[in-house]
Amino acid sequence: MADSSSAPPTRGTASSSEDLFKMRPFTADIEKQAANDSDFDAAATIVGTDGESIRQGDDKFERSEDEQPQDPNIVTWDGPNDPENPENWTDKKKWTSIAVLSIMTVVTPLGSSMFAPGIPKILAEFHETSSTTATFLLSIYILGFAFGPLFVAPMSEMYGRSLLYHAGNILFAIFSVGAALANSIGMLMAFRFLMGLAGSVPITIGSGSIADIMPVEKRGRAMAAWALGPLLGPCIGPIAGGYLIAAAGWRWVYWLIVIVGGVVTIVALLTLKETFAPVILERKAARLRKETGNPDLRSALADNSITVAERFKIAAVRPMKLLLTTPIITLMSLYVAVTYGILYLLFTTFSFVFAQVYNFDEGASGTTFLPAGIGMLIGVVGFGAASDRLVGRRTAAGLAHRPEVRIPPMFTVPAGLALPVGLFIYGWTVQNAVHWIVPMLGVVIFSCGLMGVMMCVQNYLLDAYPHYAASVTAALAVLRSLAGALLPLGGLDMYDALGLGWGNSLLGFIALGLVPIPLLFYAYGERLRKRFNPSV
């Protein structure tokens, strides 16, 4: 084995001055030192304690020649244009990855509600009559979405993004087979929960992948495409599911998911590459250690101060710690959770409202989810593009980017008000048996507002806490999915007690009371971020 002290300089190590163009310190202490060092460019890209990239300004910084460490064993990027660095990927490669991620976030939520029109047949087959069982059969999948991120987020830090995507896709297909073959209501529930766990992978770390590769001025559109999946999937699923169940039975819903999931798995294996910088450099260091025989070569982003077990423990508790100790994340997550829970509560009413009030058959009942999808498409196209335009204008004017630009009143107020307006229209027109097109219009308005709220909140939190991107997304997913799973359990009793008119009005008043939250952070967000700066 070669003597490490006399090993020749290796491509990608710190012995080359240009190779340190994007070398990033890893620990929180170094991060603070770099932020305060007047010799550093203010537009520095550094790495937080969880290894997730922090992007500021143009994402680049340089040290003068005499300041650069001369340790020949540090492995970093091969200069500013290193093609291995995901930030330097071509636009085609970046958008291909985002397209695949977006498809994945549509497919995995399909399992949550695609079989909803067939719930009466499932209950009859397994001799169940409880309305609570029927609701829980739908919502237990979302519980998987709630608990999955607590494991997925820390694992992505240690093993990278791509490995988890591929493992999640394969497990999702396997668990879908189990659901298709279920011979009891308990077995079906168990596999639906496992499908939710596996399906939570792209929803949890997709935003981290986007932050790895996209500059801030293009991130809004990328986030829009990715964020649409968890909402659009449950909307388009029942449309196909209603007719499929009527023609071939509810089990074929899961066989179709297996087929689609299998195709997506193959496409992902061929196209999705690793984007997490610490993992890429660690693999590069391992390759160079093998090629050169120098055991002392190590990644510039490696943190050897803690063990893998300790790192996993810290990363595992980070989402809940952020959720409970950072007011911005707490209140914004609450806003998203309530609106998401209301959406799933509405979903539980569609099957019986349009069947009983408007005499829709089993196949047509699936189309009642279409207005929600239309509203979300309008919201994602409008709010995603407009958000990037605002950031682009500030950048073109030479102004520093502020995360609060993502939540201006001109976006958040109309989006927030659309929620109660849509609920009022839906509830009272159904209550009075007005033509079915009118309550569907209410659902379109509600869904458009929901997408506007989701886009503003997710982009804001990603910009405000970029070094905790995966953990913040996990915190959002946990609270959002818990609300989506649990709120419908008591929702039907609420409708029985209040009726559809006053029941949806109550939900509308709750949504109306949440509208000031983004306004609060638009005005005081910067001050609160400085006061409650997470150190987890």
Side-chain angles (χ1 to χ4, degrees):
M1 183 175 295
D3 184 357
S4 61
S5 63
S6 61
T10 306
R11 177 174 173 80
T13 65
S15 58
S16 172
S17 61
E18 69 169 3
D19 292 346
L20 282 170
F21 185 88
K22 284 191 175 182
M23 176 176 169
R24 306 175 181 181
F26 185 84
T27 65
D29 292 337
I30 298 177
E31 173 190 336
K32 294 176 182 177
Q33 177 183 349
N36 296 324
D37 192 340
S38 60
D39 292 331
F40 277 35
D41 190 317
T45 298
I46 53 182
V47 170
T49 54
D50 63 353
E52 295 170 7
S53 54
I54 306 173
R55 298 166 181 258
Q56 302 170 350
D58 65 0
D59 293 340
K60 299 177 182 179
F61 75 87
E62 294 185 66
R63 299 185 184 191
S64 61
E65 184 79 16
D66 57 352
E67 285 186 295
Q68 293 177 352
Q70 297 301 313
D71 187 346
N73 295 316
I74 298 294
V75 177
T76 184
W77 303 119
D78 293 336
N81 299 314
D82 187 349
E84 288 191 49
N85 187 344
E87 296 175 11
N88 296 326
W89 287 357
T90 64
D91 284 346
K92 180 180 178 180
K93 186 173 182 179
K94 290 180 179 181
W95 284 106
T96 297
S97 297
I98 292 171
V100 175
L101 288 177
S102 301
I103 293 172
M104 288 166 58
T105 60
V106 171
V107 171
T108 57
L110 282 178
S112 67
S113 62
M114 190 173 182
F115 83 118
I119 287 180
K121 285 188 175 181
I122 296 173
L123 296 179
E125 179 176 333
F126 294 126
H127 309 292
E128 288 284 346
T129 58
S130 171
S131 60
T132 302
T133 299
T135 305
F136 194 62
L137 186 61
L138 182 67
S139 61
I140 193 171
Y141 190 99
I142 311 303
L143 283 179
F145 277 2
F147 292 107
L150 297 178
F151 302 97
V152 172
M155 290 178 68
S156 72
E157 175 187 331
M158 294 188 296
Y159 304 111
R161 323 281 195 202
S162 61
L163 178 62
L164 286 178
Y165 288 136
H166 302 324
N169 286 338
I170 293 171
L171 289 175
F172 180 77
I174 292 173
F175 295 145
S176 298
V177 172
L181 299 175
N183 56 19
S184 69
I185 199 76
M187 182 177 176
L188 179 58
M189 285 185 176
F191 277 109
R192 279 183 56 77
F193 177 73
L194 293 173
M195 286 175 66
L197 284 177
S200 69
V201 174
I203 295 173
T204 302
I205 61 177
S207 63
S209 295
I210 292 172
D212 291 339
I213 62 178
M214 298 300 290
V216 67
E217 64 273 12
K218 296 182 179 179
R219 197 176 294 159
R221 282 169 288 179
M223 285 289 292
W226 167 79
L228 186 61
L231 300 173
L232 188 60
C235 298
I236 64 176
I239 299 173
Y243 291 103
L244 181 60
I245 290 168
W250 66 269
R251 294 181 187 275
W252 261 100
V253 167
Y254 290 102
W255 288 122
L256 179 61
I257 292 174
V258 171
I259 294 170
V260 175
V263 172
V264 171
T265 299
I266 295 172
V267 173
L269 285 170
L270 296 175
T271 58
L272 285 186
K273 306 302 180 183
E274 185 56 58
T275 63
F276 194 37
V279 170
I280 295 174
L281 287 182
E282 180 55 42
R283 292 175 181 172
K284 182 177 181 179
R287 183 178 71 248
L288 292 175
R289 284 195 295 268
K290 183 177 181 181
E291 293 175 355
T292 65
N294 182 359
D296 295 325
L297 291 174
R298 61 190 183 278
S299 165
L301 303 182
D303 182 13
N304 299 318
S305 61
I306 58 175
T307 65
V308 172
E310 290 172 333
R311 189 182 307 166
F312 182 88
K313 181 180 179 180
I314 293 172
V317 302
R318 183 178 295 122
M320 294 309 298
K321 191 172 181 180
L322 288 170
L323 185 61
L324 298 175
T325 63
T326 310
I328 292 178
I329 297 175
T330 302
L331 291 178
M332 286 298 205
S333 298
L334 178 64
Y335 194 2
V336 169
V338 171
T339 57
Y340 192 74
I342 292 174
L343 174 69
Y344 267 83
L345 185 52
L346 288 182
F347 284 169
T348 63
T349 69
F350 289 170
S351 297
F352 68 84
V353 163
F354 288 96
Q356 296 175 7
V357 178
Y358 299 104
N359 299 316
F360 279 30
D361 60 23
E362 195 173 58
S365 293
T367 63
T368 60
F369 291 80
L370 183 60
I374 294 174
M376 290 175 188
L377 283 174
I378 296 173
V380 74
V381 171
F383 288 100
S387 179
D388 276 353
R389 281 198 297 270
L390 275 181
V391 175
R393 287 175 186 171
R394 288 181 60 88
T395 302
L399 299 175
H401 175 64
R402 293 175 59 250
E404 284 71 29
V405 174
R406 298 289 193 182
I407 51 172
M410 64 192 302
F411 290 172
T412 57
V413 172
L417 292 178
L419 299 175
V421 169
L423 288 169
F424 294 152
I425 293 174
Y426 173 76
W428 288 109
T429 54
V430 167
Q431 178 87 12
N432 294 284
V434 179
H435 190 275
W436 54 265
I437 195 67
V438 183
M440 285 189 175
L441 178 61
V443 174
V444 171
I445 295 172
F446 171 84
S447 302
C448 182
L450 172 64
M451 203 65 221
V453 170
M454 292 280 291
M455 287 302 307
C456 290
V457 169
Q458 288 188 330
N459 282 322
Y460 173 60
L461 292 181
L462 187 61
D463 286 2
Y465 304 101
H467 49 309
Y468 299 127
S471 297
V472 169
T473 305
L476 271 172
V478 168
L479 202 60
R480 180 186 69 196
S481 299
L482 283 175
L486 300 178
L487 191 58
L489 295 179
L492 296 182
D493 292 335
M494 177 195 70
Y495 286 127
D496 289 339
L498 300 178
L500 287 167
W502 280 112
N504 282 288
S505 294
L506 175 61
L507 298 175
F509 289 131
I510 294 173
L512 185 61
L514 297 173
V515 172
I517 291 178
L519 298 179
L520 170 68
F521 295 129
Y522 181 76
Y524 302 105
E526 187 170 1
R527 187 183 308 173
L528 290 171
R529 282 188 287 112
K530 292 177 180 178
R531 181 175 178 181
F532 297 94
N533 186 25
S535 57
V536 291

